[in-house]
Amino acid sequence: MNAAPHAKLPILIAHRGNAQEFPENSLPAMSSALSLGVRHLAIDLQLSADGVPLVIHDAGLLRTTGIDRSVLDLDATTLTNISVGQPRRFGDVFESAKLPRLLDVLELLEKYPQVQLVIELQRASIARFGAEHVVDAALGCCRSYRDRIVLLSADLPAIHRARVRHGVPIGWRIDTLNTHVQLKMQALAPERIACDYQTLPPDRRPPRGTWQWMIYGVETPRELLALAELSISYAATRAPGKLRSLYRSH
């Protein structure tokens, strides 16, 4: 499948870094994505028991560390000494990769001032600590990065607070596109609407508004070119290395 001559490829976002070749949400995955020339990253955020923003998707540690505990129950000092090398995928190859804080990712981005960051607040932390606390903790780390971040969540109170209290661009993560959701989209008017590739309508044509669409789960050139035909703004992938060659050929 080839994109029409007028079709512009979506901006590529490395979702959890280069998570195809490195442990997801780890500093090696972020560094790899940046070395590929990707200028947009999307990361996940949970809070430790003592309120430190950490870059990990699951509240449970089992999948990424092999330890059957919860991020929400352990302090940041303990957590940042745990390997997130995804031993079931990579064995001990990335054993030295430790669970990063949000501050560690921001420190990495100091070397890449042109890179934009999407921070997705996960529901487990919001349910445990409350939307206000999670939003304030995350954005408290990002005071000097406000012009480079978008705060994303499926939780409406969280992104509403991010906009009203902190004045940062927001994104709403949705898992369906029914009429009720579309009415909320119109009322909220976030800067971005995010969903998985499979959530798009059968004809793949999402409803338009003041927002930009950010589609997760884009893993093949065919999917990327299909989004280009629909004028989708952002494509989030865990395989930036595989898709990056399309941009060099356009």
Side-chain angles (χ1 to χ4, degrees):
M1 178 180 179
N2 294 315
H6 65 276
K8 180 181 178 181
L9 289 175
I11 294 170
L12 200 64
I13 299 177
H15 182 206
R16 306 178 190 171
N18 181 6
Q20 183 183 58
E21 301 179 76
F22 295 83
E24 66 177 55
N25 279 320
S26 68
L27 291 180
M30 306 294 168
S31 296
S32 174
L34 294 169
S35 71
L36 290 169
V38 177
R39 292 295 174 257
H40 295 258
L41 298 176
I43 62 174
D44 303 293
L45 187 142
Q46 301 276 9
L47 289 193
S48 64
D50 51 345
V52 176
L54 297 167
V55 181
I56 185 170
H57 178 270
D58 302 357
L61 290 165
L62 187 60
R63 183 175 64 86
T64 52
T65 74
I67 299 171
D68 193 11
R69 296 292 302 274
S70 171
V71 174
L72 314 181
D73 294 332
L74 299 174
D75 62 69
T77 300
T78 300
L79 289 163
T80 54
N81 282 294
I82 292 175
S83 170
V84 287
Q86 290 189 260
R88 292 178 181 176
R89 286 184 65 198
F90 299 108
D92 60 0
V93 174
F94 297 106
E95 188 176 2
S96 63
K98 305 302 183 183
L99 202 165
R101 303 169 302 163
L102 174 57
L103 285 175
D104 297 323
V105 174
L106 296 175
E107 182 178 338
L108 174 64
L109 294 186
E110 288 180 4
K111 305 172 187 176
Y112 301 90
Q114 72 277 38
V115 170
Q116 303 291 311
L117 183 65
V118 178
I119 302 170
E120 182 171 355
L121 307 183
Q122 295 301 316
R123 282 174 161 163
S125 286
I126 292 171
R128 171 72 68 89
F129 301 110
E132 293 185 4
H133 185 63
V134 176
V135 170
D136 293 352
L139 292 177
C141 296
C142 303
R143 290 189 179 92
S144 59
Y145 292 83
R146 296 300 177 87
D147 59 341
R148 299 173 59 186
I149 64 171
V150 174
L151 199 75
L152 179 75
S153 182
D155 186 82
L156 286 175
I159 57 176
H160 182 263
R161 181 175 181 83
R163 170 181 278 171
V164 173
R165 179 69 180 269
H166 297 276
V168 299
I170 60 170
W172 187 27
R173 178 78 180 258
I174 62 172
D175 56 15
T176 186
L177 266 172
N178 59 33
T179 302
H180 183 61
V181 167
Q182 292 186 46
L183 288 173
K184 286 186 175 181
M185 287 161 52
Q186 294 289 345
L188 181 65
E191 280 75 15
R192 294 192 195 175
I193 297 288
C195 70
D196 292 336
Y197 188 82
Q198 293 75 15
T199 304
L200 291 172
D203 64 359
R204 301 297 182 200
R205 296 188 180 277
R208 298 296 175 181
T210 58
W211 49 80
Q212 294 177 306
W213 280 94
M214 176 177 164
I215 306 302
Y216 280 95
V218 182
E219 304 300 336
T220 67
R222 184 179 182 86
E223 292 171 345
L224 187 65
L225 294 171
L227 296 182
E229 293 291 343
L230 297 174
S231 300
I232 296 296
S233 299
Y234 297 95
T237 180
R238 299 185 196 182
K242 182 167 65 175
L243 299 182
R244 188 66 183 158
S245 60
L246 269 71
Y247 292 80
R248 291 192 288 270
S249 64
H250 273 65

